[in-house]
Amino acid sequence: MHRSTASPTRPSGRTLGLSLALVSAFAFGGSGTAAKPLIEAGLSPLHVVWLRVTGAAVALLPIAYRHRAAVLRRPGLLIGFGLLAVAGVQACYFAAISRIPVGVALLIEYLGPPLLIGYVKFVQRKPISRGAAIGAGVAVAGLACVVEAWNGLSFDALGVLFALGAACCQVGYFVLADAGRRGERPVDPLAVSAYGLLIGAVLLTAFTRPWQADWSLLGGSVVMNGHTLPAALPAAWMILIATVLAYLTGVIAVGHLSPPIAGVVANLEAVVATVLAWVLLGEHLGLPQIAGGLLVLAGAFAAQGSKPPEAAAAPASASAEAPGPVVSSRVTESGAASSGVTDSGSGAPAVAASQDRERVVAERAVSGPPSRTSRRG
């Protein structure tokens, strides 16, 4: 049997997916650090979110135009992504933090990976690796330490519901990103991100009423940890890195990883946000936060290091379905078989091979045994 080996210079799909997921988590993690100076300068949190999403949508207009056929191919997918993965997450999260502490809201929102695992297992009825399940639990426990949820425990039913809504919308982000590459009419991940942000910007415009904001603040300066810098600098970082790069790499990563694993790796966003706030904003970390960050890292490592159930089951199922002895053949340099090869999925090649053998036997019966100098077929 001829086996083709992957080139050592090209990363596997899983390695590429993990790399992109890490880039996405790091990019998303910088959004809060970039947004805080703008909020302290006078912009409301909702207007900062509108600036972030709308600016990213404008930056991705060339990609949207290039993939304009996607609007007719999968309109429901694009609308759902814009509604849930962009506008829904942002609106629900900011509605939640207006009623409950930020740490608690963030912890509830990042219940998304366990909810995603439950959705994949019980709704889609797909197998879940043990590593992904364990990693999700460990990551959530570590996240509770990172945000120090015990310092602001208070129950507000509506606030908790908004935070759970953000968690469910986060599930929609991974499910829809994965659905875009499946089916008879797959959509390029770049198109999913571009049109998702465009639709999200339209929805947030109706919700946030940006014409009421004082946008002249962007022409001035802001203060970050005692240092003065142009307001356009954190705004550009928030738009181009924490939104454009974050969404593009995140959606592509889901195509190379399973949604549950990509969801667990995304928990690193909270760790990155906390570390960046420590370094750039002077918000110091305590021992519980450091320990929690290590737990989130351990959970992400356990999840991405697990072998997908489908891959583990494939060799066993293939060997169980093999129909007994298989006629092997020489393989030419182009990879094509030089004689008949049986195929367990079709009976036509087997019939052809049987007919060839009968023809060879008949020819030998007429011409006699081959000479010693002849090449055997």
Side-chain angles (χ1 to χ4, degrees), residues 76-91:
L77 173 74
L78 301 180
I79 293 174
F81 192 84
L83 177 63
L84 297 177
V86 179
V89 171
Q90 303 293 339

Side-chain angles (χ1 to χ4, degrees), residues 157-237:
L158 191 56
V160 170
L161 285 176
F162 279 130
L164 285 174
C168 293
C169 290
Q170 191 186 65
V171 172
Y173 168 86
F174 293 103
V175 171
L176 292 173
D178 182 60
R181 65 186 181 91
R182 300 183 182 276
E184 298 179 355
R185 295 175 295 174
V187 178
D188 191 290
L190 299 180
V192 174
S193 299
Y195 280 102
L197 287 166
L198 280 171
I199 294 169
V202 172
L203 294 173
L204 286 173
T205 298
F207 182 73
T208 61
R209 290 177 288 184
W211 51 86
Q212 296 180 351
D214 182 13
W215 298 111
S216 62
L217 294 171
L218 296 178
S221 300
V222 295
V223 178
M224 177 180 285
N225 196 21
H227 301 282
T228 302
L229 66 157
L233 184 60
W237 179 276

Side-chain angles (χ1 to χ4, degrees), residues 4 22 26 36 41 47 58 64 98 109 125 137 142 160 176 213 223 250 348:
S4 62
L22 290 173
F26 275 76
K36 188 169 183 178
H47 287 148
V58 172
S98 68
E109 178 188 350
R125 298 188 180 277
V160 170
L176 292 173
V223 178

